[in-house]
Amino acid sequence: MATLAAFKQLWLTPILEKDFRITARSLRFFLFITFALIIGSIAMLIGVTEIRYTSRQSGLDLFWVIYIVQSLCIALAIPAYASGTIAAERQQGTFDILRITSLKPWEIVWGKFIAIMSYVIVWIVGFLPMVAICFLYGGTDPQWVLLAYLHLLLGSACAVAFCLMLSAATTHPIKATIVGYIFMWLFGFPWGGMGVAFLEVWTRQRVSFPGTFWFNYFTISTFLGQIAFWSFCYIAATCLLKPPAWNRSTPLRIWYLAASLLSVGMMITIAILEKATRDDDVLSGFIIGLFIPAICAAVGFCGEPASPHQRLVRKTLQLPVVFRLFMPGRNTALIFVPLVLLLSILLSWIPFRDDTGDACFMVALEAFVFVAFCCVLSGAMRSFIDSAKSRVVTIATLVGLCLLPLLAYVFEDGDRAGIRWLNPFLAMVESVDSYYRSRSEAAYGAFLGFYIIASIVLMVLMVSRTRRTLPASAPS
Amino acid sequence: MIEVRNLTKQFRNTVAVSDISFTIDAGEVFGFIGPNGAGKTTTIRMITTLLEPTSGTITVDGHSVTDYPEDVRTVLGYMADDSAVYEGMEVWEYLEFFASAYRIPPQKRKVVCEDVMELTDLGGLRKKIVSELSKGMKQRLSLARALVHDPKVLVLDEPASGLDPRARIEFRELVKELHAMGKTIFISSHILSELSDMCTTVGIIESGRLLVSGRIDDILKRMRQGTELVICVEGPPDKAMMLLQQQPQVQGVALEKGAIRVVFDGDSAQASALIKVLVANDVPLLSFQEEKRDLESLFMQITRGTVA
């Protein structure tokens, strides 16, 4: 029982509960998820115009559309949520009252990390009904899908930890957010591949999504690199919350040394792996490992030494010597790190195969339906904390959503007749699909119009509900 | 309960707090007074483990703030001057969050939150969103938050700033109630009249240096170079002033707004003798009283208006 309680305490931290309450009630949370779904729908509308769904490969191609869109949306959302979270608390003065509680710095960072990862999971789950559709059209392997989501989760975890580190290093949330976006999109980590895919789409003026080739990059070494990167960012964020040399039992220098050793160890491991396997894929893991000392150096320079006479000693102990020599000041560090990141993008350039898949125009229509669906999901999430009833409904909804792709895969039988009972939306889609097949453009247009209008009405209802539940501004 | 020894804080080239020492006994209400930029908040932040001292030691309930900050945090409640709160939460949720952050077991949290809400008179606002509270209510909420783990020491940094007169009076009564409960209270404020009502001991800081600290009466005694007497007479004061100047205990005589102000260096018997002299010389005496000095006059006398 004690172990269970400790496990529960580790995941359900007070910070998670607090952040989730505040964020889930905000209009921004609702708008973000709605925006993501709308973007997804529009992207698919544009993207699938050239895709035919005659091929058995079409499901996989559709999955890639969804996966790339949601990855980009998550990449867009993470800096907005994570980069400012600690800095904003510092600016508002709430961070001091948090620090004098019994919560330790690592717990604060962990709580914030878990809270933001919860949002990421909500966004991922919000897209799952679309993933279910992909299975219906065949060609999608559940193993690949799971691997892709594992990659996305790990990448998101790294990005969140990195943005938290930025947030811990400054008192200006706007600055932290801007730097977070710059790093995220310049580095392209972990979405560099997505960017390349889109670039390819853009330059060739036609849809071209990677097929199975993409999955080859989800290697153990990449995961190791990501875990190392996450560990470093997490430790650094924790260190930055401590006043320098404040807690005598865990001196700052020990944390930095541990992080540096971890990064160096990881780099060596990846290098050995590369040599042993002669596999080019480990390169991406190696590149990720390469950044750890660079970020380490930047963080070291962002940390304020306690007093001038201790500065040199602390820098000597905290930073790898080679980086200290190259970076005499904070500004230099801020220039150097993006340059290294840019180099990484060039190194990690991955030529994608021109594997144009086939897909179905109907997916775009379904996406609009899911926009409306996610409005409801968002509303449920917002009231998650407040009532036990909505908590049950929300959990059941989320579990149901997670089961959808699995059930779709199990029941996928070519003619899709057996899965209609799974989702009323799918049944409707089938009807529309049959019209589409018979070239009944007018009926198709009517259905499309109906779904769009229904989505808009639902969205308007949710916005008005959100406004009603939002707290009024404080009286002057 | 709080012991500060040779505390210094230096920010690059600025010495914010310079070698200050004072002691606050358990159950005292200590008023920390000083002009803006004197180093009050810096001192408070060091006591509350939020800032590292450059040198010197601070112990709170026997725990060193530099060596055992976690232990200090468990016995210390802190309320900042800006009453920073999480706006998007309900009052109840806010307190419950801090109760869990102070590791109060879940089964006790409800009782604890009820108790502090009752103490701070927030019971009727439990479901209210924090952003909807008035400034005074937010201050109460901050105090409730600082009390949620039942600390022995309360550190209040400018708690009454920005409050209307009613809220100030209510807050003052709340502090008195907490004092009666046996809490040691460290309070900094600019409103000296309020501090003199609440505080048992004070410390006056200016330019990072502690000018004086101790019980208000003791400080007044120490600062007193001579009693100031205010004498009113019927008719022209010339004769009375001449007589007073001839007395050996009288250090100075001045006329101010029709009253004679006398700097007198003597005890009560000698003051009585002074009255006798005036009466014996047919001075029509209307009143004869000792000028009472308060915290405000003491503050003005001690400080010079400089900042660190």
Side-chain angles (χ1 to χ4, degrees):
Chain A
M1 282 304 285
T3 313
L4 187 69
F7 183 76
K8 195 178 161 190
Q9 199 177 359
L10 181 67
W11 291 98
L12 298 173
T13 68
I15 299 284
L16 165 69
E17 201 176 328
K18 185 262 294 176
D19 276 10
F20 212 91
R21 275 186 211 278
I22 294 172
T23 308
R25 283 177 186 157
S26 70
L27 184 63
R28 190 169 72 158
F29 183 71
F30 161 70
L31 289 178
F32 250 130
I33 193 164
T34 309
F35 175 76
L37 269 292
I38 290 171
I39 292 291
S41 310
I42 292 170
M44 277 191 284
L45 266 175
I46 297 168
V48 300
T49 46
E50 289 188 27
I51 297 174
R52 304 286 178 269
Y53 72 118
T54 51
S55 157
R56 289 293 295 173
Q57 184 75 7
S58 57
L60 180 63
D61 294 327
L62 287 178
F63 171 70
W64 278 116
V65 173
I66 295 162
Y67 184 72
I68 289 171
V69 166
Q70 77 180 87
S71 298
L72 288 170
C73 288
I74 288 169
L76 196 71
I78 283 174
Y81 275 106
S83 293
T85 179
I86 296 171
E89 289 224 24
R90 277 206 178 112
Q91 199 178 51
Q92 290 159 11
T94 50
F95 191 64
D96 281 348
I97 58 174
L98 204 59
R99 266 173 61 193
I100 59 156
T101 63
S102 302
L103 294 173
K104 292 180 172 62
W106 74 264
E107 287 176 291
I108 296 174
V109 178
W110 177 250
K112 293 208 170 278
F113 172 76
I114 291 287
I116 295 164
M117 282 308 290
S118 314
Y119 314 147
V120 172
I121 289 166
V122 169
W123 290 322
I124 290 174
V125 168
F127 276 86
L128 282 186
M130 294 190 203
V131 178
I133 303 295
C134 302
F135 282 109
L136 294 180
Y137 292 109
T140 313
D141 190 333
Q143 191 187 337
W144 292 347
V145 172
L146 285 175
L147 212 54
Y149 278 116
L150 181 64
H151 180 74
L152 182 61
L153 276 173
L154 267 172
S156 300
C158 291
V160 170
F162 179 72
C163 289
L164 282 176
M165 184 183 73
L166 284 177
S167 191
T170 177
T171 52
H172 304 285
I174 294 173
K175 275 186 194 171
T177 308
I178 291 169
V179 175
Y181 273 115
I182 291 171
F183 272 60
M184 290 283 290
W185 293 95
L186 189 66
F187 192 0
F189 174 82
W191 295 279
M194 316 289 177
V196 173
F198 265 95
L199 195 67
E200 206 166 279
V201 171
W202 184 257
T203 52
R204 296 182 186 185
Q205 294 296 309
R206 62 186 175 80
V207 180
S208 171
F209 296 109
T212 54
F213 182 77
W214 173 266
F215 294 108
N216 294 334
Y217 284 86
F218 301 141
T219 58
I220 292 294
S221 60
T222 310
F223 290 159
L224 284 175
Q226 285 180 328
I227 289 165
F229 184 84
W230 179 88
S231 306
F232 172 73
C233 291
Y234 180 77
I235 292 169
T238 304
C239 291
L240 286 163
L241 293 192
K242 291 168 182 281
W246 179 241
N247 189 337
R248 304 289 161 90
S249 62
T250 51
L252 189 63
R253 58 182 177 273
I254 299 297
W255 287 101
Y256 272 102
L257 279 173
S260 303
L261 287 173
L262 182 72
S263 65
V264 171
M266 193 53 67
M267 285 174 70
I268 292 168
T269 309
I270 291 165
I272 292 168
L273 266 173
E274 187 182 26
K275 198 172 180 183
T277 60
R278 296 198 173 278
D279 186 355
D280 289 341
D281 298 343
V282 294
L283 184 67
S284 54
F286 180 76
I287 289 162
I288 292 162
L290 183 71
F291 291 113
I292 295 167
I295 304 294
C296 175
V299 171
F301 278 94
C302 289
E304 288 291 336
S307 57
H309 69 271
Q310 291 172 333
R311 183 178 293 181
L312 187 65
V313 178
R314 290 225 173 112
K315 277 185 180 173
T316 309
L317 291 170
Q318 286 164 14
L319 302 174
V321 176
V322 61
F323 286 104
R324 198 177 64 253
L325 289 175
F326 282 112
M327 291 187 290
R330 185 189 301 187
N331 292 335
T332 320
L334 290 175
I335 295 167
F336 177 79
V337 173
L339 281 176
V340 177
L341 300 181
L342 191 62
L343 185 67
S344 83
I345 294 171
L346 295 173
L347 286 173
S348 61
W349 182 271
I350 301 159
F352 285 97
R353 284 183 187 172
D354 180 16
D355 186 7
T356 307
D358 294 328
C360 175
F361 185 70
M362 291 304 302
V363 175
L365 180 63
E366 291 156 13
F368 274 107
V369 178
F370 293 125
V371 169
F373 163 77
C374 282
C375 290
V376 180
L377 176 69
S378 166
M381 291 307 295
R382 197 165 46 254
S383 57
F384 181 80
I385 303 290
D386 298 328
S387 93
K389 194 178 166 186
S390 76
R391 216 170 298 168
V392 171
V393 171
T394 309
I395 290 171
T397 311
L398 292 178
V399 170
L401 285 176
C402 293
L403 286 176
L404 266 180
L406 183 68
L407 289 172
Y409 175 71
V410 170
F411 285 95
E412 194 258 312
D413 55 3
D415 63 355
R416 300 189 290 274
I419 49 91
R420 289 184 184 195
W421 59 274
L422 284 177
N423 188 338
F425 288 136
L426 298 188
M428 286 191 282
V429 166
E430 285 293 320
S431 309
V432 181
D433 186 40
S434 63
Y435 278 107
Y436 180 64
R437 282 170 179 273
S438 63
R439 300 276 190 261
S440 180
E441 302 289 346
Y444 165 71
F447 270 102
L448 184 66
F450 167 77
Y451 286 131
I452 291 171
I453 290 165
S455 305
I456 290 169
V457 168
L458 265 172
M459 276 191 284
V460 168
L461 283 173
M462 291 310 298
V463 169
S464 63
R465 183 185 176 280
T466 308
R467 282 191 178 151
R468 278 204 301 279
T469 53
L470 276 179
S473 57
S476 58
Chain B
M1 183 59 75
I2 300 177
E3 194 173 347
V4 176
R5 286 280 163 266
N6 309 112
L7 184 67
T8 298
K9 180 66 193 177
Q10 188 171 356
F11 294 107
R12 299 189 189 278
N13 298 323
T14 308
V15 180
V17 174
S18 174
D19 197 29
I20 67 170
S21 300
F22 60 86
T23 305
I24 305 169
D25 294 329
E28 295 275 10
V29 180
F30 181 82
F32 202 44
I33 309 163
N36 288 333
K40 297 191 298 295
T41 301
T42 305
T43 308
I44 285 174
R45 287 177 67 80
M46 286 190 281
I47 291 171
T48 53
T49 75
L50 291 171
L51 206 59
E52 183 186 19
T54 306
S55 64
T57 59
I58 307 170
T59 55
V60 179
D61 196 28
H63 308 295
S64 163
V65 298
T66 47
D67 295 334
Y68 303 101
E70 284 90 1
D71 294 337
V72 171
R73 287 169 194 158
T74 58
V75 296
L76 190 138
Y78 169 56
M79 183 179 156
D81 55 347
D82 48 6
S83 68
V85 284
Y86 294 111
E87 303 273 338
M89 300 174 88
E90 290 175 3
V91 168
W92 172 261
E93 292 168 353
Y94 183 80
L95 292 175
E96 204 183 26
F97 162 63
F98 279 99
S100 57
Y102 278 110
R103 306 198 196 288
I104 294 168
Q107 59 273 22
K108 286 185 184 172
R109 274 178 216 158
K110 193 180 174 190
V111 178
V112 165
C113 294
E114 289 287 358
D115 287 350
V116 291
M117 282 204 294
E118 193 184 328
L119 180 68
T120 52
D121 204 17
L122 288 168
L125 302 171
R126 63 171 63 235
K127 297 299 280 180
K128 196 106 169 160
I129 297 285
V130 171
S131 62
E132 293 174 355
L133 298 179
S134 66
K135 171 92 178 170
M137 285 297 132
K138 280 182 185 168
Q139 292 286 72
R140 276 172 181 273
L141 181 62
S142 291
L143 186 60
R145 188 259 309 148
L147 288 167
V148 86
H149 60 301
D150 192 23
K152 291 178 183 173
V153 180
L154 266 178
V155 179
L156 313 176
D157 190 5
E158 302 279 356
S161 65
L163 297 187
D164 62 38
R166 171 174 281 277
R168 275 183 192 172
I169 292 165
E170 286 172 355
F171 200 86
R172 190 172 63 201
E173 293 308 313
L174 203 52
V175 172
K176 283 181 180 173
E177 204 175 326
L178 291 167
H179 180 217
M181 288 165 68
K183 304 275 182 207
T184 305
I185 300 171
F186 183 109
I187 181 166
S188 83
S189 178
H190 285 128
I191 306 156
L192 300 176
S193 57
E194 282 188 2
L195 280 184
S196 60
D197 276 357
M198 288 187 284
C199 299
T200 51
T201 53
V202 293
I204 298 178
I205 185 171
E206 187 179 43
S207 305
R209 293 179 183 281
L210 191 69
L211 302 177
V212 67
S213 75
R215 295 194 159 274
I216 298 174
D217 294 341
D218 293 343
I219 295 170
L220 286 171
K221 268 185 198 166
R222 266 187 288 167
M223 297 305 296
R224 190 179 287 161
Q225 289 168 340
T227 311
E228 193 166 293
L229 302 173
V230 181
I231 302 167
C232 291
V233 296
E234 178 72 36
D238 302 346
K239 186 182 175 184
M241 289 175 74
M242 190 187 71
L243 283 167
L244 288 167
Q245 278 166 349
Q246 289 168 359
Q247 303 308 309
Q249 293 84 18
V250 172
Q251 309 278 311
V253 179
L255 190 66
E256 194 180 309
K257 293 178 184 173
I260 304 165
R261 301 186 86 89
V262 177
V263 179
F264 181 71
D265 186 17
D267 55 20
S268 54
Q270 287 165 326
S272 175
L274 197 64
I275 297 171
K276 277 183 192 168
V277 169
L278 292 172
V279 172
N281 285 281
D282 295 329
V283 174
L285 206 59
L286 289 176
S287 68
F288 185 99
Q289 61 185 12
E290 186 182 333
E291 175 83 331
K292 290 282 179 195
R293 295 178 69 186
D294 57 9
L295 198 56
E296 208 160 294
S297 58
L298 181 70
F299 179 76
M300 291 307 290
Q301 186 186 337
I302 292 172
T303 60
R304 289 166 297 174
T306 56
V307 292

